[in-house]
Amino acid sequence: MTKPPVLILGGRSDMGLAIAHRFANARLLADVSEEKRRTEQLGTRLASQLQAQKATERELLAAKEQAERAAASKSEFLANMSHEIRTPLNAVSGLAHLLQRDMQDPLARQRAGKIVEAAHHLLSLINDILDLSKIEAGKLELEAVDFSLESVL
């Protein structure tokens, strides 16, 4: 059996050139396949990260809504409790003042005065709490009123 003639170009045979092309093509195909695999992995990771981000956004939105509901409930509770406490406290203060005014005994009058002072202090505290809840709810209205600076200081 005789070998077919081999044409040699530039020091390489046609067969050698074909093998080199096949090898280069196989290497190129392997490189493309590897890049495709990496791209698919990146796409999978990106999709996973996007899903995680969306889940986090949903959780944050739910937490924000829950916090807003809690703040509204707190403000409503403070407003209701302030009113419920203020009404009987005004009665205690008024009746203690009447007792103080009508008492003859100086010690009893002094004690009734302490009740009046304590009631006024508690009313002031309740009003401050109610003002704070109005500030938090964005419902505090400021008004311009003339006053004497000396009386405040």
Side-chain angles (χ1 to χ4, degrees), residues 70-93:
S73 294
K74 181 185 82 168
S75 293
E76 184 179 337
F77 171 78
L78 286 174
N80 289 337
M81 286 309 297
S82 294
H83 175 73
E84 294 299 322
I85 293 171
R86 189 181 304 145
T87 301
L89 196 52
N90 277 323
V92 168
S93 176

Tab-separated table of all heavy atoms in Angstrom, residues 70-93:
chain	number	residue	atom	x	y	z
A	70	ALA	N	-47.926	50.111	64.792
A	70	ALA	CA	-47.608	50.169	66.220
A	70	ALA	C	-47.549	51.617	66.703
A	70	ALA	O	-48.055	51.941	67.783
A	70	ALA	CB	-46.284	49.460	66.496
A	71	ALA	N	-46.947	52.495	65.904
A	71	ALA	CA	-46.858	53.911	66.285
A	71	ALA	C	-48.250	54.535	66.344
A	71	ALA	O	-48.548	55.310	67.257
A	71	ALA	CB	-45.978	54.665	65.293
A	72	ALA	N	-49.105	54.185	65.383
A	72	ALA	CA	-50.470	54.721	65.390
A	72	ALA	C	-51.237	54.199	66.607
A	72	ALA	O	-51.963	54.957	67.262
A	72	ALA	CB	-51.190	54.343	64.098
A	73	SER	N	-51.068	52.930	66.917
A	73	SER	CA	-51.736	52.359	68.095
A	73	SER	C	-51.249	53.027	69.375
A	73	SER	O	-52.041	53.320	70.270
A	73	SER	CB	-51.478	50.847	68.180
A	73	SER	OG	-52.077	50.189	67.106
A	74	LYS	N	-49.944	53.267	69.451
A	74	LYS	CA	-49.387	53.909	70.636
A	74	LYS	C	-49.944	55.316	70.799
A	74	LYS	O	-50.347	55.711	71.891
A	74	LYS	CB	-47.863	53.961	70.551
A	74	LYS	CG	-47.208	54.598	71.765
A	74	LYS	CD	-45.731	54.746	71.599
A	74	LYS	CE	-45.498	55.981	70.794
A	74	LYS	NZ	-44.125	56.449	70.740
A	75	SER	N	-49.989	56.057	69.700
A	75	SER	CA	-50.503	57.424	69.763
A	75	SER	C	-51.976	57.430	70.172
A	75	SER	O	-52.400	58.244	70.998
A	75	SER	CB	-50.343	58.121	68.412
A	75	SER	OG	-48.983	58.301	68.128
A	76	GLU	N	-52.744	56.507	69.609
A	76	GLU	CA	-54.159	56.423	69.967
A	76	GLU	C	-54.323	56.044	71.438
A	76	GLU	O	-55.151	56.613	72.160
A	76	GLU	CB	-54.859	55.393	69.076
A	76	GLU	CG	-56.343	55.309	69.303
A	76	GLU	CD	-57.018	54.305	68.387
A	76	GLU	OE1	-56.478	53.984	67.331
A	76	GLU	OE2	-58.113	53.829	68.770
A	77	PHE	N	-53.508	55.093	71.899
A	77	PHE	CA	-53.564	54.683	73.295
A	77	PHE	C	-53.230	55.855	74.215
A	77	PHE	O	-53.932	56.100	75.205
A	77	PHE	CB	-52.585	53.528	73.538
A	77	PHE	CG	-52.422	53.172	74.982
A	77	PHE	CD1	-53.384	52.420	75.639
A	77	PHE	CD2	-51.307	53.600	75.696
A	77	PHE	CE1	-53.237	52.099	76.980
A	77	PHE	CE2	-51.160	53.280	77.034
A	77	PHE	CZ	-52.122	52.522	77.676
A	78	LEU	N	-52.155	56.582	73.888
A	78	LEU	CA	-51.763	57.714	74.732
A	78	LEU	C	-52.847	58.783	74.768
A	78	LEU	O	-53.145	59.346	75.823
A	78	LEU	CB	-50.454	58.324	74.238
A	78	LEU	CG	-49.193	57.523	74.532
A	78	LEU	CD1	-47.993	58.167	73.863
A	78	LEU	CD2	-48.971	57.390	76.024
A	79	ALA	N	-53.450	59.063	73.623
A	79	ALA	CA	-54.505	60.072	73.586
A	79	ALA	C	-55.699	59.634	74.426
A	79	ALA	O	-56.241	60.419	75.222
A	79	ALA	CB	-54.927	60.330	72.144
A	80	ASN	N	-56.096	58.368	74.286
A	80	ASN	CA	-57.238	57.864	75.063
A	80	ASN	C	-56.924	57.825	76.559
A	80	ASN	O	-57.744	58.231	77.384
A	80	ASN	CB	-57.648	56.471	74.585
A	80	ASN	CG	-58.311	56.503	73.232
A	80	ASN	OD1	-58.846	57.525	72.817
A	80	ASN	ND2	-58.272	55.398	72.535
A	81	MET	N	-55.746	57.329	76.900
A	81	MET	CA	-55.393	57.229	78.316
A	81	MET	C	-55.231	58.612	78.937
A	81	MET	O	-55.623	58.831	80.082
A	81	MET	CB	-54.108	56.421	78.502
A	81	MET	CG	-54.298	54.935	78.292
A	81	MET	SD	-55.670	54.244	79.262
A	81	MET	CE	-55.128	54.525	80.908
A	82	SER	N	-54.663	59.541	78.189
A	82	SER	CA	-54.505	60.899	78.712
A	82	SER	C	-55.869	61.488	79.038
A	82	SER	O	-56.053	62.105	80.085
A	82	SER	CB	-53.782	61.783	77.696
A	82	SER	OG	-52.464	61.340	77.532
A	83	HIS	N	-56.817	61.287	78.142
A	83	HIS	CA	-58.166	61.800	78.376
A	83	HIS	C	-58.810	61.094	79.568
A	83	HIS	O	-59.419	61.740	80.441
A	83	HIS	CB	-59.030	61.609	77.129
A	83	HIS	CG	-60.451	62.007	77.339
A	83	HIS	ND1	-60.834	63.337	77.433
A	83	HIS	CD2	-61.564	61.263	77.502
A	83	HIS	CE1	-62.146	63.373	77.631
A	83	HIS	NE2	-62.609	62.139	77.674
A	84	GLU	N	-58.672	59.778	79.623
A	84	GLU	CA	-59.293	59.005	80.705
A	84	GLU	C	-58.690	59.346	82.073
A	84	GLU	O	-59.374	59.287	83.083
A	84	GLU	CB	-59.155	57.499	80.437
A	84	GLU	CG	-59.917	57.013	79.229
A	84	GLU	CD	-61.420	57.235	79.349
A	84	GLU	OE1	-61.966	57.071	80.450
A	84	GLU	OE2	-62.042	57.571	78.330
A	85	ILE	N	-57.423	59.684	82.104
A	85	ILE	CA	-56.780	60.052	83.374
A	85	ILE	C	-57.053	61.516	83.708
A	85	ILE	O	-57.272	61.877	84.866
A	85	ILE	CB	-55.262	59.776	83.306
A	85	ILE	CG1	-55.023	58.273	83.206
A	85	ILE	CG2	-54.541	60.351	84.507
A	85	ILE	CD1	-53.583	57.895	82.918
A	86	ARG	N	-57.048	62.373	82.694
A	86	ARG	CA	-57.213	63.806	82.918
A	86	ARG	C	-58.580	64.136	83.526
A	86	ARG	O	-58.676	64.978	84.431
A	86	ARG	CB	-57.038	64.557	81.595
A	86	ARG	CG	-56.973	66.050	81.773
A	86	ARG	CD	-56.831	66.790	80.461
A	86	ARG	NE	-55.671	66.327	79.742
A	86	ARG	CZ	-55.616	66.234	78.428
A	86	ARG	NH1	-56.632	66.571	77.701
A	86	ARG	NH2	-54.526	65.814	77.844
A	87	THR	N	-59.621	63.490	83.058
A	87	THR	CA	-60.969	63.816	83.532
A	87	THR	C	-61.121	63.599	85.039
A	87	THR	O	-61.511	64.529	85.763
A	87	THR	CB	-62.014	63.005	82.738
A	87	THR	OG1	-61.870	63.321	81.355
A	87	THR	CG2	-63.422	63.318	83.190
A	88	PRO	N	-60.805	62.413	85.572
A	88	PRO	CA	-60.940	62.255	87.026
A	88	PRO	C	-59.926	63.086	87.814
A	88	PRO	O	-60.210	63.537	88.926
A	88	PRO	CB	-60.727	60.765	87.269
A	88	PRO	CG	-60.197	60.194	86.026
A	88	PRO	CD	-60.485	61.141	84.922
A	89	LEU	N	-58.758	63.318	87.234
A	89	LEU	CA	-57.748	64.109	87.920
A	89	LEU	C	-58.206	65.565	88.062
A	89	LEU	O	-57.934	66.202	89.087
A	89	LEU	CB	-56.420	64.022	87.178
A	89	LEU	CG	-55.184	64.456	87.934
A	89	LEU	CD1	-55.069	63.756	89.284
A	89	LEU	CD2	-53.945	64.172	87.105
A	90	ASN	N	-58.898	66.069	87.062
A	90	ASN	CA	-59.467	67.416	87.176
A	90	ASN	C	-60.488	67.472	88.309
A	90	ASN	O	-60.553	68.458	89.055
A	90	ASN	CB	-60.112	67.852	85.860
A	90	ASN	CG	-59.103	68.416	84.898
A	90	ASN	OD1	-58.164	69.098	85.287
A	90	ASN	ND2	-59.289	68.136	83.617
A	91	ALA	N	-61.267	66.404	88.449
A	91	ALA	CA	-62.241	66.356	89.542
A	91	ALA	C	-61.531	66.342	90.894
A	91	ALA	O	-61.921	67.067	91.827
A	91	ALA	CB	-63.137	65.129	89.393
A	92	VAL	N	-60.471	65.529	91.018
A	92	VAL	CA	-59.710	65.473	92.270
A	92	VAL	C	-59.121	66.840	92.580
A	92	VAL	O	-59.203	67.329	93.713
A	92	VAL	CB	-58.589	64.408	92.175
A	92	VAL	CG1	-57.613	64.519	93.336
A	92	VAL	CG2	-59.185	63.016	92.110
A	93	SER	N	-58.545	67.465	91.576
A	93	SER	CA	-57.935	68.774	91.768
A	93	SER	C	-58.979	69.811	92.205
A	93	SER	O	-58.756	70.582	93.147
A	93	SER	CB	-57.256	69.220	90.470
A	93	SER	OG	-56.733	70.516	90.598
